[in-house]
Amino acid sequence: MTRISHHNHGLLPWILLKLTDIKSVFCVFFCLFRHQKLKRSTEIPTKISEMNSQEKEEHNALLKWVTMEFAAGTGVCAVIYYTVRNIPLDPETLLTPQDRLVFALRWLFISSLPILFAVLGVLNVRGTTKAINPIDGNAEHLVELPNRILRNHIEQFSLHALGVLALTTYLDENCMSDIPVLVAMFFIGRILFTIGYISSPDNRGFGFFITFMPTLVTYGYCLYKFVTTYIL
């Protein structure tokens, strides 16, 4: 019994010492985390109220420019709508849901072309610069812009394609001209987005609006039809 008691008296200080070490390590990591968080909050203003007068002026100027881009994009969407919607279609070939889905999928192939163009753009930069070896990493900044454009194309296409396919299930054969309209807006918007982004990142809003606004309207309509069909 005496040996066990003596052993226990020796074990307790050892446990307390280890717990103290763990607490010290935790405190170090917590202090480093707080330091980095405070450093980021002091170096980069995240809200308008945290900006100085010059930053607010630059922010307001950029916001005004983006608003003008969106207004111009609305006009382009209207022109595309009234131009493409008048293309004659034969409703007799779109009588069944299967026919309409095939029709939509064939038009979505056109919507996917900007992704192909963006991939070729990345390959062109890699083949003509030091960025040919992505593992090296020393010249990856050269493909940063093409990669950003490619990622944006993929993101927008995924929303656009899903919206078009869902919309097709709610349209009859007489309204299927809306599908070429949406595809035309997407394709033209993606081309203008690419041209604007290459010229300056501030100029990408024009093409982005032409792409995203029709998708947003499509999602709103499909959500309305879904709710009124299955919930209300």
Side-chain angles (χ1 to χ4, degrees):
M1 292 294 295
T2 304
R3 289 181 61 186
I4 296 176
S5 176
H6 176 74
H7 176 72
N8 289 339
H9 284 304
L11 182 63
L12 183 59
W14 182 84
I15 294 175
L16 291 175
L17 179 62
K18 291 299 180 182
L19 290 175
T20 303
D21 293 340
I22 295 173
K23 183 179 179 181
S24 300
V25 172
F26 174 78
C27 289
V28 170
F29 278 106
F30 179 77
C31 290
L32 288 174
F33 172 77
R34 290 289 298 171
H35 173 72
Q36 292 296 328
K37 186 175 181 180
L38 290 173
K39 184 179 179 181
R40 287 196 300 268
S41 63
T42 55
E43 289 182 353
I44 305 175
T46 57
K47 299 180 180 179
I48 297 179
S49 58
E50 300 174 353
M51 299 179 183
N52 56 40
S53 58
Q54 182 180 356
E55 290 171 336
K56 289 180 179 179
E57 184 177 350
E58 294 175 352
H59 176 271
N60 292 332
L62 181 57
L63 184 61
K64 183 179 179 180
W65 173 247
V66 171
T67 304
M68 293 173 59
E69 287 183 311
F70 283 7
T74 303
V76 173
C77 286
V79 172
I80 296 173
Y81 177 82
Y82 287 107
T83 302
V84 180
R85 206 172 193 279
N86 292 325
I87 296 177
L89 295 177
D90 185 7
E92 297 298 325
T93 62
L94 303 170
L95 295 179
T96 67
Q98 292 81 359
D99 292 336
R100 293 192 285 274
L101 283 173
V102 170
F103 178 82
L105 285 170
R106 288 173 177 174
W107 274 95
L108 284 174
F109 169 76
I110 303 300
S111 297
S112 69
L113 291 179
I115 299 179
L116 176 63
F117 298 156
V119 172
L120 294 176
V122 174
L123 292 176
N124 177 64
V125 174
R126 289 202 180 277
T128 57
T129 65
K130 294 180 179 179
I132 191 171
N133 183 8
I135 300 178
D136 185 19
N138 292 329
E140 281 301 289
H141 63 281
L142 297 175
V143 292
E144 181 178 358
L145 178 59
N147 277 330
R148 285 176 178 269
I149 294 174
L150 174 60
R151 285 195 299 268
N152 194 270
H153 284 346
I154 295 174
E155 293 167 358
Q156 295 302 315
F157 176 78
S158 62
L159 294 174
H160 165 73
L162 185 58
V164 167
L165 292 175
L167 179 64
T168 302
T169 64
Y170 294 115
L171 298 179
D172 59 26
E173 63 273 11
N174 296 314
C175 298
M176 287 300 292
S177 58
D178 290 340
I179 303 303
V181 169
L182 293 173
V183 169
M185 289 181 181
F186 183 87
F187 182 84
I188 295 174
R190 288 290 90 193
I191 298 301
L192 294 175
F193 172 86
T194 302
I195 295 173
Y197 210 156
I198 292 175
S199 64
S200 172
D202 295 341
N203 297 332
R204 69 189 188 274
F206 178 57
F208 178 84
F209 181 84
I210 298 174
T211 299
F212 184 68
M213 193 59 192
T215 300
L216 191 62
V217 173
T218 301
Y219 267 69
Y221 179 79
C222 291
L223 181 61
Y224 165 77
K225 295 294 290 185
F226 180 85
V227 171
T228 55
T229 302
Y230 297 106
I231 298 178
L232 299 182

